Amino acid sequence: MQFRVFDNASQVAQAAALLVVSQVLRKPDSVLGLATGSSPVPTYRELIRLYKAGVADFSKVVTFNLDEYCHLPQEHPCSYHYFMRHELFDHINIPIENTHLPDGNATDLDAESVRYDAAIADAGGIDLQILGIGHNAHIGFNEPADTLVFGTHVSDLSPSTIQANRRFFDQEEDVPRQALTMGMGGIMRASCVLLIATGQDKAQAIYESIRGEMSPRVPASMLQAHPQAFFLLDRKAAKLL
Ligand code: F6R
C-alpha cells in the first residue's frame, strides 16, 4: 500500500481520474470496480469532463459496483442504482448493459451474492477498484468485526454507518439497515485499488488504516497487504499521518 497527499479534494479527484483514464487507455475493455457516496463524486465529474473532452472512451468498459442497499427500490433517489446513473453512467458512453450493481431486492440474497461474485469472475476480475472509506474504516460495507467475510454478502450496517447515511434520506427511519456488499476477498482480488479520502472527518480512519496494525476491526487496514493499493488523500484526511 502507498499513499499520496494532495492540497485539496479537487486535486485528489484529478489524480484519481487520470489513473482511471490511463487504465482505460491501456486496456479499453477494463473492468472497473466503483463506489458510491460523496468521496468519488468529484472524480466522476472529472471522468465526465475527460470523456466530453474526447480524452476518455468508456464504450468497452465493464463496471461492478461495491454495494447496494437491501429492500430499497432501484428507482429510489437514494438507491445506488439511481446514484450511479445520475452521477456517472448517464453522462459517459458506457453501454448500460456493461454496468452491474448487486440486486438488493433479490428474493434470495445469498443466491444473488453468489451470482454477483460469479459475474465478476466471468468478466475476468476487477482491474481497478475505486473505494471510499467510512468513519469506522469500512470499505464497501465491510463493517468492523472480529472476522471479515470473503465474498459478496448481506451486511448489517453499523450505527455509525446508518448515521452517516442519514444525510441522504428524509427521516432516520428511512435509512436502510442492511446492504449487499462485495466482501473483502472481492476487494483484495482487484489488481489495483484506489482509495479516495478527503476531509478532516476521515483523518482518524485513515491514520488507523495506514499506521495501525492490520485488523478486521479496521477493515481498510487490510489494504496494507495489497501490492497495488493507493490511498489518494487531501491534506485534511492525511492530517494525523
Ligand atoms: C459506497 C461504499 C462506502 C463509502 C463510505 C464513504 O459504495 O462502499 O464504503 O465509500 O461509506 O462514504 P462517503 O464517501 O459518502 O463518505
Side-chain angles (χ1 to χ4, degrees), residues 34-41 65-68 80 83-84 130-142 161 164-165 167-168 181 187 196 198 201-202:
L34 300 179
T36 56
S38 305
S39 306
V41 169
N65 263 80
L66 281 167
D67 37 31
E68 177 57 286
Y80 291 165
F83 175 101
M84 288 310 302
I130 294 177
L131 296 177
I133 183 170
H135 297 119
N136 60 5
H138 72 214
I139 46 178
F141 281 127
N142 294 278
T161 300
N165 294 343
R167 67 192 195 277
F168 299 113
T181 181
I187 293 171
I196 297 168
T198 55
D201 58 319
K202 298 294 172 68

Side-chain angles (χ1 to χ4, degrees), residues 93-115:
N93 65 336
I94 190 164
I96 202 70
E97 61 275 15
N98 286 11
T99 68
H100 305 88
L101 288 94
D103 179 3
N105 291 296
T107 38
D108 183 342
L109 291 170
D110 290 338
E112 170 59 9
S113 301
V114 171
R115 184 201 67 77

Side-chain angles (χ1 to χ4, degrees), residues 79-218:
S79 83
Y80 291 165
H81 280 78
Y82 184 98
F83 175 101
M84 288 310 302
R85 285 195 302 269
H86 193 71
E87 297 292 346
L88 184 64
F89 299 152
D90 285 351
H91 309 288
I92 59 174
N93 65 336
I94 190 164
I96 202 70
E97 61 275 15
N98 286 11
T99 68
H100 305 88
L101 288 94
D103 179 3
N105 291 296
T107 38
D108 183 342
L109 291 170
D110 290 338
E112 170 59 9
S113 301
V114 171
R115 184 201 67 77
Y116 200 64
D117 286 338
I120 295 172
D122 284 352
I126 291 172
D127 293 304
L128 187 152
Q129 175 68 55
I130 294 177
L131 296 177
I133 183 170
H135 297 119
N136 60 5
H138 72 214
I139 46 178
F141 281 127
N142 294 278
E143 299 282 29
D146 291 336
T147 54
L148 295 168
V149 182
F150 191 85
T152 295
H153 61 282
V154 175
S155 167
D156 293 324
L157 303 180
S158 71
S160 89
T161 300
I162 292 168
Q163 198 46 50
N165 294 343
R166 164 78 183 84
R167 67 192 195 277
F168 299 113
F169 290 83
D170 290 340
Q171 348 179 40
E172 172 128 26
E173 306 83 82
D174 297 341
V175 188
R177 272 29 186 187
Q178 289 186 316
L180 205 54
T181 181
M182 215 185 268
M184 286 303 292
I187 293 171
M188 294 299 282
R189 271 191 297 203
S191 303
C192 177
V193 174
L194 295 185
L195 186 147
I196 297 168
T198 55
Q200 194 161 330
D201 58 319
K202 298 294 172 68
Q204 185 65 28
I206 288 298
Y207 174 77
E208 288 175 19
S209 302
I210 294 179
R211 298 280 189 235
E213 288 185 2
M214 283 173 63
S215 160
R217 291 260 145 225
V218 184

